[in-house]
Amino acid sequence: MEKFVINGGVPLKGEVEISGAKNAAVAILPATILAAGKCVVENLPAISDVDVSLHILQALGAQIRLLNRNTYEIDTTFMTGTEVPDDLSRQMRASYYFLGALLSRFGRAQVAMPGGCNLGPRPIDQHLKAFSALGAADSVDYGMISVRGKELTGAHVFFDKVSVGATINGMLSAVMAQGQTVLENCAKEPHVVDLANFLNMCGADVRGAGTDVIKVRGVQRMHGCTYSIIPDQIEAGSYMVAAAATGGDVLIKNVIPKHLEPITAKLVMAGAEVQELDDAVRVSRTGEIRPIKINTMPHPGFPTDMQPLMSVMLSVADGTSTVTEGIWDNRFRYVDELTKMGANIQVDGQVAVIEGVPELMPAPLRASDLRAGAALVVAALMANGTSEIDEISHIERGYERIVEKLEALGADIRRVERNPAALSQAL
Ligand code: EPU
């Protein structure tokens, strides 16, 4: 029942430090199961999806020690559990990574159908295709997915669809299989590469991550390591858009500029200035926002997770933009909220035509999912006046200390806890 209250119209100015990547963290935490030893994982973002992953590990029997806010020691040596508690697995999408990791170490796993953002159908047939090629059997019963396979054997897997999740589960399940596994038509996202690097630090033999073909030579044992997670590409992109959309000037620190190139290219086309430094980017805008075309695609294309944020900025461009969503069926749910703010957006299937309006107006808003929620935060920062955003738990799944970071950039944003007692007295 918490909400954000944002007084918009202020250009963001200053510096912001980017946290570790959510989508790498939620893959690397389950991967510590394979190490069967102590792992120290650094640069973990303090977000609720990481909390849920840690709770799952603990429920399965891992020993977990907090070393500092973003560093945990995880010891899976004496872990025995193979069934992920339902209530936890339903809280986030990435709980499916426990299937690959548990299958690899214990030969069996059970996970409830994962939760996460509602972006349309989110099948896992390609994950199961990889498990089955390695010799595991699967069954889905009353919302529970079970996989079993004592002696996994390396295989050739051609993914019918480029899938981040299936590529990651393919690697997790193959690292200790007998012989070599070749995964083809793989996702190339930075977090896929980060997981491969982590697995290799733990003694695995994974080659080719970041290309279409990943080769995994099975090893008999893996061990613990100390590993620092890469910076979050989408969190960085979100602050880049927020800087450009508010006509601000922000130095975004602790990033890998190469990972941001697809976002940088579109921001520059839309009229922002982006200066790339060693491990930072500086984003500013003084001129008009120009209309552009965006087509979301797997990496290195323009990331779908940035689509709602860019659309918000384009809603005040000087002309007509088109945004085509190429990954998810249902990723324009934030458009109704933007319409309340005066935006002029027509959605037809997977294409949104955005007719730029002079400005957005403040409104009461509701976050329907993580990135839609972040996009509404940017919209509220752009609008002159006070907007309120409900259902912010979606946003807090993926953005560490968003209120503090935005406040440091001069934003007027408050997180308001609704008091249920006061609410019922008022009714
Ligand atoms: N797909 C299948 N079969 C499968 C798996 C996927 O048909 O077995 C389809 C999906 O329906 C979709 C496409 O393939 O149309 C791509 O899905 P993918 O598997 O790549 O997505 P994911 O692994 O479930 C991750 C991120 C998402 C991000 C997508 C695309 C995590 C935990 N989630 O999801 O991130 O949108 O890749 O880049 O890594 C977010 O962070 O807000 C978020 C939703």
Side-chain angles (χ1 to χ4, degrees), residues 22-24 26-27 49 93-94 96-97 117 119-128 161-168 187 189 191 234 297-299 303-305 326-329 331 369-371 397:
K22 166 179 92 77
N23 289 344
V26 296
D49 271 13
R93 185 76 195 157
Y96 51 39
Y97 293 143
C117 293
L119 310 173
R122 296 186 73 168
I124 60 160
D125 55 301
Q126 298 302 306
H127 305 229
L128 299 180
K161 184 123 200 180
V162 177
S163 158
V164 171
T167 302
I168 287 179
E189 269 68 2
H191 33 288
I234 306 298
M297 279 185 256
H299 191 78
T304 170
D305 294 343
I327 308 289
W328 299 115
D329 288 351
R331 206 160 207 179
D369 63 65
L370 168 59
R371 306 302 171 188
R397 281 189 38 230

Side-chain angles (χ1 to χ4, degrees), residues 17-55:
E17 185 100 18
I18 296 307
S19 300
K22 166 179 92 77
N23 289 344
V26 296
I28 286 172
L29 288 172
T32 61
I33 293 173
L34 294 158
K38 267 187 198 162
C39 291
V40 174
V41 187
E42 301 168 347
N43 205 28
L44 276 168
I47 52 172
S48 56
D49 271 13
V50 163
D51 285 347
V52 174
S53 306
L54 290 167
H55 277 107

Side-chain angles (χ1 to χ4, degrees), residues 5 21 23 68 258 297 341:
V5 179
N23 289 344
N68 66 47
K258 178 91 193 142
M297 279 185 256
M341 303 179 84

Side-chain angles (χ1 to χ4, degrees), residues 273-292:
E273 275 144 48
V274 182
Q275 191 187 353
E276 287 184 5
L277 306 160
D278 279 352
D279 60 356
V281 286
R282 182 174 171 182
V283 181
S284 60
R285 180 181 61 82
T286 43
E288 298 274 275
I289 297 174
R290 293 195 289 263
I292 55 170

Side-chain angles (χ1 to χ4, degrees), residues 332-406:
F332 286 122
R333 293 199 305 158
Y334 62 90
V335 165
D336 287 346
E337 302 301 291
L338 282 188
T339 307
K340 283 191 211 161
M341 303 179 84
N344 182 358
I345 306 178
Q346 305 301 322
V347 177
D348 185 4
Q350 295 307 97
V351 182
V353 177
I354 307 175
E355 205 70 63
V357 294
E359 60 176 3
L360 292 179
M361 293 170 301
L365 303 166
R366 196 181 68 81
S368 56
D369 63 65
L370 168 59
R371 306 302 171 188
L376 294 181
V377 169
V378 173
L381 290 169
M382 290 160 68
N384 263 308
T386 307
S387 299
E388 295 192 356
I389 306 179
D390 269 328
E391 301 202 17
I392 59 171
S393 60
H394 289 295
I395 304 171
E396 291 173 341
R397 281 189 38 230
Y399 289 86
E400 177 173 339
R401 292 179 294 116
I402 186 169
V403 171
E404 288 90 325
K405 290 187 187 189
L406 285 172

